[in-house]
Amino acid sequence: MPSATVNNHRPSELLSRLASAEPEVKLRALREVKNQIIGNRTKKLSFIKLGAVPAVAGILADSADDVIDYNNNNCNVNNNINNILVQSAAALGSFACGFDAGVQAVLDAGAFPNLLRLLSNSNQKVVDAGARALRMIYQSKLVPKYDFLQQKNMEFLISLLNSENENVSGLGASIITHSCETSLEQKVLFDAGILRRLNSLLEGGSLSQRYSSLESLASIFKNNSELVSKFAGAEIERPLGSIIDLLKDRYPRTRLLACMCLIVIRNTSPHLLQDIGVKSKLIHILLELLDDPGQVGDEASFAFSSLIAQKEDLQKLALEANAIDKLHHHLQKGSLRPRRYEGILLALADMCSKLESCRSKFLSLQVLNLVTDALTDDSADVRTAACICLKSVTRSIKVCNVGNSFAVLVLIFNANIAYEMPIQNLSAGYFMNEMVVVPLVQLFLDPSTSVQVAALGAISNVVVDFTTHKCIFVQCGGMKQLVQLATSMESAVRSNALWALKNFVFLADNRLKEGVFSELTASLLSSLICDPEPSVQEQALALVRNLVDGCMNSVEFMFAEDGLILGAIGRQLQNASKAEIGIQGMYALCNVASGNEFHKEAVMHQLFPQMVDKNESFMINFLQSNDSQLRTATVWTIVNLTCPSSPGAFGRLVKLRNAGIVSQIKHMVNDPCVDVKFRVRTVLGQSMAFGDN
C-alpha cells in the first residue's frame, strides 16, 4: 500500500505561502512550519533568519483583529480564522520552546500581547493554544518579569489560576515560577491566597497542573523562612503532607518536582523535615531517578546536589546509600548528554566537598580517570563541572592511595613567620601528575571564562605540594600561564590566578620562588596589589605573604625596583576597604619584619609614614577591629619589630609607644582570641625587657 504523501516545502517557499491571501493555503503553511521546527533548533534558526517569526506574528495579529470585527458585527467567527489563530500560536510557541533565539524573535515581533488576547477568546481551542505558547515563552529568562505588585496584574493572575482550562491555570503557575524572586513578591502572592490555590491544584488538579504548582511553590518558598513557617503551620490544611505524599507518585517527574520543592523548604528552614526517614527517602528517590532516560534523569543530579551541598549529615546518608557508586556507574556508561554529564560531575563534587570517607570512596573506585576525561569534553559546562569536581576532591588533607593509604599532617610553627596556609586544600602531591595537571593547564586558555576560573580553582588545590613534584607544573608551562592570567581583563580570572600562585609558592624553595618572581616582576605585583577589585588586592597580598617567608633572599623581593611592592602594601593598608586586605597586608609586613634591621625599619616607614599624631595610624584601627585575624596579624608584626635581640628594637618601641600602640596593646591582655592574647603578652614581655612597666 503506497504511503501518504508528506509536504515538506523549503523554508523560502513556506514563507511565500504564509503571505497568501487564501486562508487554506496560509493555514497549511502555518501547520507545516510548526511541524518542521518542532524539536529542530537548526530549522528554527533557518526560519528565523528568513523572517518567518514576524510573518507568523503578523498573521496572528490580523486574525485576532478579524475576530474582534466579527464580534462587533454579531457574526459567527469563521472556522478558518480560529484554525489560523490556533496554528499561528502553536508555531510561535514552537519557535520559543527551549530556544532563546526563538523567544527573542517572538518578543521582537510584538507577538506577546496578541497571544495574551487569545486567552479571552470564546473558542477553547484558541485559548488553549495561546496558553500553551505563553507557557513555552515564560520558560525563558528573556521574558520581562511579571509585576505582581499591580492590583490589576494580580487579579489577572488569580483569574488564570482559577481557570478550568489546565493550560491557562498552568500558565498562571508558570508566570509565578518565572517572575517571583523578591521577598516582597513572595509576600504579596501569599497574602493574595495564591498558596491555597496552588495547594488545591496539587491535590485535585491534573498532572500538568501538579507539575506547575510544585514549581511555583518552590519559587514562593525560596529563601523565605517566614512564608515556609506559615505554610507548614495551621493556615493551610495538610500543607507539607500533600507534597510528601507526592514522593510516592507513579510519575517520575512528579516525584522529582516534589523532591525539589521539599529541598527548597528544607534549605530555607533547616528545622523542618528533620525526620531521618524523609531525608533518606529524598536521597533514595533522587538516586533512583538518575536511571530515568529523559529530562527527569538529567535534572535529578542537580536536585541531589542542592540537597546534600554543605551538609555533612546528608552526605553521610548518601554515602551509605551508595551514591558515589551509582554516580560512578552512570559516568561509566559514556555518551551522556551534556546536561546529565554536568549534573553527575557536580553531584560528585558536592559528595566529596566535606568528608574524607567520601573522597576515599571516590579514589577507591578510580572515578578520577573519568573526571579527567571530562576536562576535554566539547561542552563548556561539562568542562567547568569536571574542574569543580577536581577542586572538591583535592581539598583533602588526608589522601587515601588505592591499596596503600597514607596521611599527610603538616604542623608549621615559626615565631616570626606567618604563612597563608591552605589548610583545607592540601592534596599532598597525590594529584600532581601529568594526567591531572596537563589538561587543567590547557584549560587556562579556554575560551569560556567560567572554565578558566574553575580550572584555576582546581589547580590552586593541586599545586599545594611539599615535594619536588612542582616541577611538573613548571615544565608544562603552568606557572608562566598563571602569571599571564594575572593580567586578565576578567577580575575573577586575575583573582584565581593569584590564588593559584599563592598556593604554588607555599613552602616552596628559593629557586622556585625566584622563578615566579622573575616572571611576575615587582611592577606587575605592585599594580595587582593596587587593583581596583578588592578580591584581587587580597590575593596579591596573600601571594606576597607566601613569597616572603622569612628567608633573607625572599625578603629582598620587597625592595626590587626601589621598593615598589613595599610601597604598594603601605598604601593599601592606609585605605584597606575590608578586613581581609588588612590581614594579608599586615602578614606580608610581618614576614618582612622578621628580617634584618634594614627590613624592620622599612616596615616601620610603611606603618608610620610622616605621622604627625597617633590618630593618623591605621594600626590603632586594626588593633581595635572586630576581626580577630586582623588583630592577630597586627600584633604579630609588632612582635617582630620589637624583638629585644634586634639593635633598633628600643627605638621602634619608643615610636610605637608615642603613636599610642603600646597603650592600646595593654588594653588587649584579656583579648577573647587566644592567638591575640598570646602575642599581646609577648609584646608586653619584650617591652618590659627595655624597662617599660
Side-chain angles (χ1 to χ4, degrees):
M1 183 176 177
S3 59
T5 303
V6 178
N7 291 328
N8 197 13
H9 296 96
R10 294 163 61 90
S12 54
E13 294 175 0
L14 282 174
L15 205 62
S16 64
R17 289 171 176 267
L18 289 175
S20 172
E22 294 293 325
E24 289 292 342
V25 174
K26 189 178 296 185
L27 183 60
R28 285 195 297 270
L30 284 169
R31 189 177 286 114
E32 189 171 342
V33 168
K34 178 197 70 178
N35 291 339
Q36 284 197 29
I37 65 174
I38 288 177
N40 191 325
R41 295 167 71 91
T42 304
K43 281 277 191 179
K44 289 182 186 182
L45 195 58
S46 175
F47 274 104
I48 289 170
K49 288 179 178 179
L50 288 173
V53 174
V56 175
I59 294 171
L60 175 68
D62 292 342
S63 300
D65 289 340
D66 288 343
V67 170
I68 293 174
D69 290 340
Y70 273 96
N71 289 336
N72 288 340
N73 294 318
N74 296 318
C75 298
N76 292 327
V77 178
N78 189 298
N79 279 337
N80 273 339
I81 294 178
N82 281 335
N83 290 336
I84 287 173
L85 287 173
V86 169
Q87 293 302 321
S88 56
L92 291 170
S94 296
F95 275 116
C97 185
F99 191 48
D100 277 348
V103 173
Q104 192 61 60
V106 171
L107 295 175
D108 291 343
F112 193 79
N114 288 317
L115 287 170
L116 284 173
R117 288 167 64 188
L118 299 187
L119 301 180
S120 58
N121 195 286
S122 59
N123 187 296
Q124 283 304 302
K125 289 184 178 179
V126 173
V127 173
D128 204 54
R132 283 176 182 271
L134 288 166
R135 288 185 70 178
M136 292 176 189
I137 292 169
Y138 265 110
Q139 291 173 2
S140 171
K141 293 180 180 179
L142 296 177
V143 183
K145 281 182 57 177
Y146 190 84
D147 188 358
F148 300 112
L149 305 182
Q150 290 190 26
Q151 182 63 29
K152 64 176 182 179
N153 286 356
M154 181 61 75
E155 291 172 358
F156 179 65
L157 177 65
I158 292 171
S159 72
L160 295 179
L161 291 172
N162 289 332
S163 173
E164 294 182 2
N165 184 306
E166 69 177 66
N167 274 309
V168 175
S169 60
L171 170 61
S174 297
I175 290 173
I176 294 172
T177 303
H178 173 272
S179 301
C180 182
E181 295 177 351
T182 69
S183 57
L184 178 59
E185 290 167 339
Q186 292 167 331
K187 184 179 185 303
V188 167
L189 289 168
F190 183 86
D191 291 344
I194 298 297
L195 264 67
R196 191 177 297 278
R197 175 57 181 159
L198 292 174
N199 197 57
S200 67
L201 290 175
L202 277 185
E203 296 182 338
S206 67
L207 191 62
S208 173
Q209 289 170 324
R210 196 179 300 162
Y211 293 164
S212 300
S213 298
L214 285 167
E215 291 172 328
S216 299
L217 285 170
S219 297
I220 296 173
F221 293 146
K222 190 173 183 180
N223 299 324
N224 195 322
S225 56
E226 182 182 354
L227 291 192
V228 169
S229 297
K230 288 181 178 179
F231 181 79
E235 293 191 27
I236 299 176
E237 187 179 357
R238 294 189 70 252
L240 291 180
S242 59
I243 302 176
I244 293 173
D245 287 347
L246 293 177
L247 295 176
K248 299 178 288 188
D249 195 88
R250 67 191 183 97
Y251 293 102
R253 183 160 179 77
T254 303
R255 297 199 300 277
L256 173 64
L257 292 175
C259 285
M260 292 170 68
C261 191
L262 291 170
I263 291 167
V264 167
I265 291 171
R266 190 180 186 281
N267 289 348
T268 300
S269 297
H271 65 281
L272 294 174
L273 301 173
Q274 281 297 317
D275 180 79
I276 193 168
V278 174
K279 292 190 283 189
S280 296
K281 187 179 293 185
L282 287 171
I283 289 170
H284 283 284
I285 290 172
L286 290 171
L287 291 175
E288 288 173 4
L289 290 174
L290 288 172
D291 295 328
D292 186 276
Q295 186 182 8
V296 168
D298 293 348
E299 299 301 323
S301 54
F302 290 93
F304 178 78
S305 285
S306 65
L307 173 65
I308 66 168
Q310 303 301 314
K311 303 180 189 73
E312 289 190 18
D313 61 327
L314 286 166
Q315 289 167 16
K316 287 179 183 177
L317 285 175
L319 182 64
E320 293 169 4
N322 296 319
I324 295 178
D325 301 74
K326 292 177 181 178
L327 292 166
H328 175 225
H329 172 70
H330 284 283
L331 276 185
Q332 285 180 310
K333 291 180 179 179
S335 302
L336 299 172
R337 287 190 297 273
R339 179 70 174 169
R340 182 174 295 233
Y341 204 172
E342 176 194 5
I344 291 172
L345 290 168
L346 292 177
L348 282 168
D350 281 311
M351 277 297 298
C352 297
S353 64
K354 291 279 187 181
L355 301 175
E356 285 298 327
S357 53
C358 289
R359 297 182 189 119
S360 299
K361 185 67 174 179
F362 176 96
L363 293 171
S364 69
L365 292 173
Q366 298 185 336
V367 188
L368 183 62
N369 296 340
L370 297 172
V371 175
T372 52
D373 288 344
L375 294 172
T376 57
D377 192 81
D378 291 339
S379 167
D381 290 335
V382 171
R383 297 196 299 276
T384 299
C387 292
I388 293 170
C389 186
L390 281 175
K391 180 180 180 180
S392 190
V393 176
T394 54
R395 292 181 66 185
S396 179
I397 294 176
K398 179 177 68 178
V399 181
C400 297
N401 196 355
V402 180
N404 180 24
S405 299
F406 61 94
V408 175
L409 177 61
V410 182
L411 293 176
I412 300 173
F413 179 79
N414 187 308
N416 300 320
I417 304 166
Y419 298 97
E420 168 70 355
M421 276 191 67
I423 296 174
Q424 294 297 322
N425 302 327
L426 304 180
S427 63
Y430 182 84
F431 299 94
M432 186 65 91
N433 58 67
E434 292 183 2
M435 182 184 77
V436 176
V437 172
V438 172
L440 278 176
V441 170
Q442 290 171 346
L443 292 180
F444 289 174
L445 301 178
D446 197 278
S448 166
T449 300
S450 63
V451 174
Q452 285 184 309
V453 170
L456 289 167
I459 210 69
S460 292
N461 288 355
V462 172
V463 296
V464 177
D465 175 16
F466 312 130
T467 70
T468 57
H469 288 106
K470 291 191 178 186
C471 62
I472 295 174
F473 185 67
V474 176
Q475 289 168 359
C476 71
M479 187 260 286
K480 289 189 175 183
Q481 286 194 36
L482 285 181
V483 174
Q484 291 174 2
L485 290 173
T487 64
S488 168
M489 296 294 290
E490 295 287 340
S491 62
V493 175
R494 294 199 303 278
S495 176
N496 280 275
L498 289 167
W499 195 320
L501 283 168
K502 171 192 73 178
N503 285 3
F504 183 60
V505 300
F506 175 62
L507 291 185
D509 58 41
N510 284 334
R511 186 173 59 84
L512 189 144
K513 287 186 177 182
E514 287 169 3
V516 171
F517 188 74
S518 65
E519 288 290 333
L520 271 170
T521 73
S523 57
L524 174 57
L525 193 46
S526 61
S527 69
L528 289 168
I529 290 170
C530 299
D531 192 274
E533 290 294 326
S535 62
V536 177
Q537 297 171 23
E538 180 186 349
Q539 293 308 318
L541 289 166
L543 169 57
V544 171
R545 173 182 173 181
N546 281 359
L547 271 174
V548 188
D549 62 0
C551 172
M552 200 66 70
N553 290 339
S554 60
V555 172
E556 291 298 330
F557 295 151
M558 299 301 97
F559 299 91
E561 299 183 38
D562 296 323
L564 270 179
I565 298 173
L566 205 59
I569 295 173
R571 289 192 299 276
Q572 285 306 100
L573 290 176
Q574 291 282 352
N575 303 291
S577 59
K578 60 178 187 175
E580 290 79 5
I581 292 171
I583 292 166
Q584 299 302 339
M586 287 307 301
Y587 273 131
L589 292 184
C590 176
N591 287 352
V592 175
S594 69
N596 59 31
E597 278 298 300
F598 174 73
H599 302 146
K600 295 179 193 293
E601 287 300 322
V603 170
M604 285 295 290
H605 179 70
Q606 297 304 324
L607 295 177
F608 306 102
Q610 300 177 341
M611 192 188 71
V612 177
D613 63 66
K614 63 182 182 182
N615 292 326
E616 290 189 25
S617 174
F618 57 81
M619 295 275 284
I620 296 291
N621 292 331
F622 285 3
L623 290 170
Q624 295 174 344
S625 170
N626 292 326
D627 193 304
S628 62
Q629 291 187 65
L630 182 52
R631 299 197 305 276
T632 302
T634 306
V635 179
W636 200 346
T637 304
I638 297 170
V639 169
N640 285 355
L641 290 170
T642 59
C643 180
S645 62
S646 180
F650 178 70
R652 289 188 289 275
L653 184 63
V654 171
K655 288 182 180 179
L656 291 166
R657 186 190 300 122
N658 292 339
I661 303 299
V662 175
S663 175
Q664 173 60 38
I665 285 180
K666 287 178 179 178
H667 288 97
M668 300 168 67
V669 289
N670 293 314
D671 193 279
C673 174
V674 175
D675 282 346
V676 175
K677 186 187 298 185
F678 171 74
R679 290 180 176 84
V680 161
R681 294 180 179 182
T682 302
V683 171
L684 294 178
Q686 292 177 171
S687 175
M688 291 176 68
F690 294 107
D692 185 352
N693 294 315

